[in-house]
Amino acid sequence: MLRGRLPVTHMSSTIAPVKPSGTAGPKEVELVLVKEQNGVQFTSSALVSPSGQTHPSGEERETWGKKIDFLLSVIGFAVDLANVWRFPYLCYKNGGGAFLVPYLFFMVIAGMPLFYMELALGQYNREGAAGVWKICPLFKGVGFTVILISLYVGFYYNVIIAWALFYLFSSFSGELPWIHCNNTWNSPNCSDLNSTLLNDTYKTTPALEYFERGVLHLHESSGIDDLGLPRWQLTSCLAVVIVVLYFSLWKGVKTSGKCVSAQMMLCYRDAIITSSINSLTSFFSGFVIFSFLGYMSHKHNVALDKVATDGPGLVFIIYPEAIATLPGSSVWAVIFFIMLLTLGIDSAMGGMESVITGLIDEFKFLHKHRELFTLFIVVSTFLISLSCVTNGGIYVFTLLDHFAAGTSILFGVLIEAIGIAWFYGVDRFSDDIQEMIGQRPGLYWRLCWKFVSPCFLLFMVVVSFATFNPPKYGSYYFPTWATMVGWCLSISSMIMVPLYAFYKFCSLPGSFCDKLAYAITPETEHHLVERGEVRQFTVSVMAAFMCTAEQGRLHKFHG
């Protein structure tokens, strides 16, 4: 935490009251997990006495039973379908094995430190995505950004699980339906699995046609402006997924594990273990994928880039086609799609829980109606997701996947890192961690939080905007209006940061300097601001000038 006045673009921080001595040992805490899809995890906790489980506000809150329950839940939420289809393709697209060098480097300087920060922030403050920003109210919009991103991801992520469920049902047969071209959905361009494509761009495989024509019925749609009605088979599978999610979430943590207080020893072990397992899962998936791609490339006598694909095509076309060549292919297909279901369900639960818990923590009256509110969220998600199971639903899916959690999640994490490291203060944040586990984070973590990770995230946000490519699916390019809708979706979550900051600043009492002090002082210390015991902040030369001018005007008026 910076003390004293810094030049121009830097900010001086408050003089925080000294914490009482005797708090530097491991404490007994309650653990509550809230996970945001695509990389941002929030875990909440609060210090409790050995005989009670009390929220700082006096409310009871569900807890995890054992440390291993908590760790396995974090791992289950962090490892998802992106490990299976997105990482291998990005690895191939960006140099193959050489891609692992920058990947591991950035994981060390950004991924692991940010995950550690997220974990500690949630566990200490024991709040949802928005509630944790009582430490710096001006940044509460970041929490609403995260909630909206989780909601948007749920619109299409549940559809992936529905596809996997459909494939699972189809796998219970003597012969897999994507082996031959003699099905009602096949076109004249279909080439049998046992033949080669011979670089014929007009030929397609049975697996491709099963996914696009047998499952999606994409051939019955001319584009995103011609969606058609929802397919009843996929709608039924989506309904099953939504029902499972509801009954997994309606009671909170109690439905997914034992709920008693646990002795919490974070150090940074959980963050390292989870990040490592997440990366190892991606590596393993990459090895399997490249083996499959090499085999399919040789089988069809085409270049590797002709069979390498991103997104659902990798999981629902390439994998099934390779599995179909194995002895006992139906058994292997069942195992594979059960794996996809387990990967998808727990991550979907985490994303949905981050929405539900974040809003319930913010609007306290919802606590008494969690079951009804959960039902409202899952039903709303189901209704919007119906657009993804129409004849042209893959176009809606692609648009959501492209815009819902790309640049916006990088922006949200960037603002979060700045808020914690530069406004709340790295020193104070380290004190909070020491209060929980008995020791402060090392110099490496503090430097990453304050300098390295924010710079990396800023660079990634700029690159994300500069290298933007309009979405497309296969040879279909989205119309301009669809791209604009996608950008509106992305901006709708990012804009919560400045909108809430403006609202908070305007709603606070006092002069400009008073408002600024309240806005970036932890809510638990607002009474100190009122008594003038916390120094007010100056953000820039302009802010300092405005504060000085206002003080001079008031002095002249009262004089």
Side-chain angles (χ1 to χ4, degrees):
M1 186 184 303
L2 296 177
R3 302 185 187 278
R5 183 165 301 189
L6 297 178
V8 190
T9 58
H10 295 80
M11 169 174 289
S12 60
S13 180
T14 56
I15 300 179
V18 179
K19 294 183 180 290
S21 59
T23 62
K27 305 295 183 182
E28 188 174 2
V29 301
E30 298 174 88
L31 302 176
V32 177
L33 177 64
V34 178
K35 187 259 188 185
E36 195 288 319
Q37 183 63 27
N38 281 325
V40 180
Q41 283 87 10
F42 287 96
T43 10
S44 304
S45 69
L47 303 176
V48 298
S49 63
S51 59
Q53 300 180 14
T54 308
H55 187 278
S57 63
E59 300 173 353
E60 292 185 0
R61 193 179 179 104
E62 297 124 350
T63 59
W64 293 95
K66 302 176 182 177
K67 287 184 289 184
I68 190 62
D69 293 339
F70 170 73
L71 180 60
L72 290 177
S73 298
V74 174
I75 293 172
F77 293 166
V79 179
D80 65 355
L81 295 171
N83 298 77
V84 177
W85 80 29
R86 201 177 299 277
F87 174 84
Y89 177 77
L90 291 176
C91 187
Y92 161 76
K93 185 180 178 181
N94 295 280
F99 173 75
L100 300 181
V101 176
Y103 172 83
L104 291 173
F105 174 70
F106 289 127
M107 184 185 75
V108 171
I109 68 167
M112 294 173 66
L114 290 172
F115 186 75
Y116 182 15
M117 179 186 73
E118 295 270 353
L119 210 60
L121 175 67
Q123 288 182 344
Y124 182 81
N125 292 284
R126 195 175 176 268
E127 293 282 353
V132 295
W133 289 102
K134 61 188 179 184
I135 64 173
C136 189
L138 188 68
F139 286 82
K140 197 170 189 175
V142 176
F144 293 111
T145 295
V146 169
I147 291 172
L148 280 179
I149 292 174
S150 297
L151 187 64
Y152 296 160
V153 169
F155 293 158
Y156 71 92
Y157 196 84
N158 297 331
V159 176
I160 305 174
I161 308 173
W163 291 341
L165 187 61
F166 185 94
Y167 268 77
L168 177 63
F169 292 149
S170 301
S171 300
F172 289 102
S173 60
E175 184 178 69
L176 295 175
W178 54 83
I179 292 181
H180 299 298
C181 293
N182 57 357
N183 302 287
T184 57
W185 58 78
N186 291 124
S187 71
N189 293 329
C190 183
S191 176
D192 193 81
L193 185 62
N194 295 319
S195 64
T196 59
L197 297 183
L198 299 177
N199 293 303
D200 189 342
T201 56
Y202 296 101
K203 293 294 185 180
T204 58
T205 64
L208 173 63
E209 291 209 342
Y210 178 73
F211 178 61
E212 292 191 343
R213 299 173 67 92
V215 178
L216 303 181
H217 289 256
L218 183 59
H219 60 288
E220 299 180 25
S221 171
S222 60
I224 194 170
D225 52 356
D226 179 30
L227 295 180
L229 296 176
R231 308 295 304 185
W232 72 265
Q233 299 94 332
L234 292 178
T235 300
S236 300
C237 292
L238 181 61
V240 171
V241 173
I242 292 297
V243 169
V244 171
L245 286 176
Y246 174 71
F247 285 104
S248 299
L249 296 171
W250 72 320
K251 289 294 186 182
V253 175
K254 291 182 180 179
T255 59
S256 58
K258 297 179 181 178
C259 308
V260 294
S261 194
Q263 187 74 17
M264 200 283 285
M265 286 295 292
L266 178 63
C267 299
Y268 44 87
R269 182 189 60 188
D270 291 345
I272 293 178
I273 292 176
T274 304
S275 301
S276 301
I277 292 178
N278 183 51
S279 297
L280 289 175
T281 303
S282 298
F283 295 162
F284 180 76
S285 298
F287 297 147
V288 175
I289 282 289
F290 284 122
S291 300
F292 279 3
L293 292 180
Y295 170 72
M296 301 309 297
S297 174
H298 174 74
K299 179 177 179 59
H300 295 300
N301 193 27
V302 295
L304 186 62
D305 60 354
K306 298 294 184 181
V307 292
T309 182
D310 186 19
L314 189 61
V315 173
F316 296 103
I317 299 174
I318 302 299
Y319 267 120
E321 185 175 355
I323 289 174
T325 65
L326 299 175
S329 56
S330 295
V331 176
W332 291 112
V334 168
I335 294 173
F336 174 73
F337 289 112
I338 288 177
M339 179 200 72
L340 289 186
L341 287 173
T342 56
L343 279 177
I345 283 290
D346 59 2
S347 295
M349 286 174 54
M352 196 73 71
E353 180 67 19
S354 68
V355 175
I356 296 169
T357 302
L359 293 176
I360 286 179
D361 283 351
E362 184 63 19
F363 304 102
K364 303 299 183 182
F365 69 92
L366 294 175
H367 273 287
K368 298 180 180 179
H369 310 286
R370 180 185 173 95
E371 293 86 353
L372 290 176
F373 182 66
T374 301
L375 181 63
F376 170 77
I377 292 294
V378 298
V379 170
S380 300
T381 300
F382 171 76
L383 294 176
I384 296 177
S385 298
L386 287 177
S387 63
C388 294
V389 294
T390 57
N391 294 334
I394 189 65
Y395 300 126
V396 180
F397 174 92
T398 303
L399 196 69
L400 289 171
D401 185 46
H402 199 84
F403 287 102
T407 303
S408 54
I409 194 66
L410 291 173
F411 173 80
V413 179
L414 169 64
I415 302 301
E416 177 185 357
I418 293 174
I420 292 175
W422 289 94
F423 284 76
Y424 184 62
V426 168
D427 286 345
R428 174 176 288 187
F429 187 58
S430 299
D431 292 341
D432 294 342
I433 295 176
Q434 183 178 21
E435 185 177 340
M436 286 195 295
I437 66 176
Q439 62 184 36
R440 290 169 61 84
L443 179 63
Y444 164 75
W445 300 105
R446 300 199 302 273
L447 288 177
C448 285
W449 290 334
K450 195 157 194 174
F451 301 107
V452 181
S453 295
C455 290
F456 167 77
L457 288 169
L458 178 61
F459 171 77
M460 290 301 298
V461 170
V462 173
V463 169
S464 178
F465 279 107
T467 61
F468 170 77
N469 291 315
K472 70 185 187 72
Y473 180 79
S475 60
Y476 176 81
Y477 287 86
F478 285 76
T480 303
W481 69 263
T483 302
M484 296 302 296
V485 169
W487 271 117
C488 289
L489 184 76
S490 183
I491 293 173
S492 68
S493 59
M494 292 188 285
I495 203 172
M496 296 304 296
V497 174
L499 280 182
Y500 187 86
F502 179 77
Y503 157 76
K504 190 67 178 179
F505 195 82
C506 292
S507 63
L508 289 170
S511 64
F512 175 84
C513 292
D514 291 332
K515 290 175 180 288
L516 190 60
Y518 279 114
I520 50 184
T521 300
E523 291 180 356
T524 55
E525 298 178 6
H526 279 188
H527 64 286
L528 299 178
V529 178
E530 296 173 0
R531 297 202 303 259
E533 297 180 13
V534 177
R535 280 196 307 191
Q536 296 173 340
F537 296 73
T538 56
V539 183
S540 62
V541 172
M542 179 61 69
F545 173 78
M546 292 176 65
C547 290
T548 303
E550 181 175 2
Q551 290 172 356
R553 180 181 62 82
L554 292 176
H555 177 74
K556 181 178 179 180
F557 174 79
H558 289 291

